[in-house]
Amino acid sequence: MKITNAKVFVGGPGKNYVTLKIETDQGVYGLGDATLNNRETLPAAYLQDYLIPCLIGMDPRRSEDIWQFFYRGAYFRRGPIAMAAFGAIDMALWDIKGKLANMPLYQLFGGKSRDGALVYAHATGADLPDLMESIAHYVDAGYKAVRVQCGIPGMPSASYAVPETSGASKHYITDFSGIRPRTEIWDTDRYMRYMPGALTEIRERFGPDLKLLHDVHHRLTPREAAQFAKAVEPVNLFWLEDPTPAEDQTALKLIRQHSTTPIAIGEVFNSLHDCQHLIEQELIDFIRVAVTYAGGITHVKRIVELAGMHHIRTGFHGAPSHSPLCMAAQAHLNAWAPNFGIQEYLVLGTPECDALFPSDHQMQDGLFHVSDAPGLGVDFDETQAARYCYAPGSHPVVRLQDGTLWNY
């Protein structure tokens, strides 16, 4: 069995999904996601110019060897561009493998550990009353876990992951259109004074059973993060996400020494080597890597297994920049993983997205149910893909009030 062709598509409804289709001489094809949010053309070019020419003629069933060939064959290893490209190839090869076996991927991993995987939604608001309304919307929809973010009184501009105006919060999808990023102003003191009390009010209104998550987006120093994590302990958060910049892994020690609030981190990590220390030292409680950014199913499965040895659960990244292909790959891992924790899930099921990526996967009552279709269980309509083209965008840039460019 040989790979005969591979094609890259860039575009989608409201997002620049980077979709890889690998074709074989037996008519079986596989699909993978290489979407690198706001830098989409880079992994697409890497695939087209460097990797696909090497893929032609390879046996797609040898997914492990092909992963090692590309990873070890590159003198400059890792990084988000390369790992997203490797991830798309690996995802597509597993898709082919599942179709050849006529099995869903979770069966190839060892079968299900659960029937449905817990997911969480994003509740946001320009202020606390707006956020309360957003949370109630998701609770009414059956969600058992909600990430909560809201504007801070007196903050000069909306903080990351909070809409600029109220009213859009119930179905929040970030708009990063335009190649020149907008600037947001951040005030740590106001955040530290306000947010613990806001989280307390949320807990009092919605009770102890709703799982509450909160994302700091790397905006605190280690000392500030330790203080904040200690202050919110009575709220009993399900997790506190990205409390400090991810580059300094030793910073998590200070948080551990001062607080028992669960910590989730890793959505910007690209390999096992980025999180090995955090896992082995048990400095986190949830690992947030994504199958796309972290090199595909083959590599992420290794991360999950190492995490399981150290009491760390999964909490895969699931922002709307991940296409339904990545979300399906993660859904199969979620169904299998003995140390599954939760899955971030922003609604992708618009009619346009469903037409581009048809599948039978379902989300119901706060749980994601993976279908029994062979492989990933997601198809790709090239006719629909022709409707979309690349539109550049960038994440916002964050500055402190004095103009200092803040790391996040």
Side-chain angles (χ1 to χ4, degrees):
M1 188 176 189
K2 302 295 182 185
I3 295 171
T4 56
N5 190 31
K7 297 182 283 188
V8 180
F9 304 82
V10 181
K15 288 290 174 182
N16 296 313
Y17 297 131
V18 181
T19 304
L20 173 68
K21 183 175 183 179
I22 295 179
E23 300 172 342
T24 69
D25 58 2
Q26 294 188 17
V28 180
Y29 61 87
L31 301 169
D33 175 33
T35 309
L36 181 61
N37 198 20
N38 298 143
R39 297 294 183 266
E40 298 90 352
T41 57
L42 299 179
Y46 192 35
L47 281 164
Q48 195 69 57
D49 296 342
Y50 296 96
L51 305 184
I52 289 175
C54 298
L55 269 177
I56 305 304
M58 287 183 168
D59 185 340
R61 296 168 296 188
R62 299 182 62 178
S63 56
E64 178 68 43
D65 185 67
I66 290 173
W67 195 94
Q68 299 292 343
F69 175 86
F70 286 122
Y71 181 82
R72 297 186 183 276
Y75 186 77
F76 297 100
R77 296 179 182 174
R78 302 198 296 273
I81 298 168
M83 295 302 274
F86 300 164
I89 292 172
D90 188 71
M91 210 180 297
L93 297 181
W94 275 97
D95 192 25
I96 290 172
K97 200 185 300 285
K99 290 172 180 175
L100 290 174
N102 196 32
M103 290 182 178
L105 289 190
Y106 69 78
Q107 293 288 16
L108 303 186
F109 304 155
K112 284 184 177 181
S113 295
R114 62 197 49 78
D115 293 325
L118 180 70
V119 302
Y120 72 88
H122 285 195
T124 64
D127 53 30
L128 188 55
D130 193 30
L131 173 58
M132 294 286 197
E133 183 181 346
S134 181
I135 297 169
H137 165 81
Y138 285 113
V139 170
D140 291 344
Y143 284 83
K144 301 172 179 63
V146 182
R147 193 195 80 169
V148 296
Q149 313 288 129
C150 75
I152 307 300
M155 193 86 81
S157 65
S159 60
Y160 179 49
V162 176
E164 293 284 359
T165 59
S166 60
S169 58
K170 290 187 181 65
H171 308 288
Y172 171 69
I173 296 294
T174 315
D175 180 10
F176 295 146
S177 59
I179 195 64
R180 182 180 292 275
R182 73 175 188 269
T183 298
E184 294 180 350
I185 304 300
W186 177 254
D187 187 326
T188 300
D189 290 340
R190 290 182 185 274
Y191 171 81
M192 295 277 286
R193 290 196 301 268
Y194 181 76
M195 203 63 214
L199 290 170
T200 299
E201 289 189 45
I202 293 167
R203 175 60 75 201
E204 290 173 350
R205 173 168 171 180
F206 290 96
D209 294 331
L210 180 64
K211 294 175 172 57
L212 295 178
L213 302 82
H214 179 65
D215 192 349
V216 184
H217 292 103
H218 311 124
R219 295 191 181 187
L220 300 178
T221 66
R223 185 206 61 75
E224 292 165 347
Q227 178 183 340
F228 187 86
K230 182 69 174 178
V232 300
E233 276 186 5
V235 178
N236 193 28
L237 290 177
F238 186 82
W239 80 32
L240 183 66
E241 183 179 344
D242 292 339
T244 61
E247 291 90 342
D248 182 8
Q249 298 191 12
T250 60
L252 277 297
K253 287 184 179 180
L254 187 62
I255 302 174
R256 273 287 196 251
Q257 291 167 356
H258 290 83
S259 174
T260 58
T261 296
I263 302 299
I265 203 166
E267 69 183 56
V268 299
F269 293 163
N270 308 128
S271 77
L272 175 60
H273 306 287
D274 295 324
C275 54
Q276 180 179 352
H277 175 78
L278 293 176
I279 291 173
E280 292 179 343
Q281 297 297 312
E282 299 180 6
L283 299 178
I284 58 175
D285 301 277
F286 297 88
I287 183 64
R288 292 269 294 134
V289 295
V291 169
T292 295
Y293 300 160
I297 292 169
T298 295
H299 196 61
V300 168
K301 194 168 183 291
R302 291 193 176 99
I303 295 174
V304 172
E305 288 170 336
L306 178 64
M309 295 173 60
H310 293 278
H311 321 291
I312 294 166
R313 292 185 284 169
T314 64
F316 293 139
H317 193 221
S321 53
H322 300 305
S323 87
L325 295 170
C326 176
M327 296 301 291
Q330 294 179 169
H332 285 281
L333 288 169
N334 291 338
W336 155 78
N339 55 321
F340 167 77
I342 200 168
Q343 171 65 60
E344 181 178 22
Y345 182 82
L346 271 70
V347 177
L348 300 175
T350 64
E352 294 81 8
C353 197
D354 289 343
L356 183 60
F357 297 101
S359 81
D360 291 325
H361 301 310
Q362 295 183 357
M363 215 288 291
Q364 185 177 10
D365 295 329
L367 300 176
F368 192 94
H369 300 273
V370 66
S371 82
D372 288 327
L376 287 170
V378 179
D379 209 345
F380 179 70
D381 190 325
E382 294 187 38
T383 302
Q384 289 292 323
R387 299 174 52 194
Y388 306 106
C389 59
Y390 170 71
S394 291
H395 279 87
V397 170
V398 178
R399 294 184 182 273
L400 301 181
Q401 287 186 298
D402 66 359
T404 303
L405 195 64
W406 183 237
N407 181 20
Y408 72 102

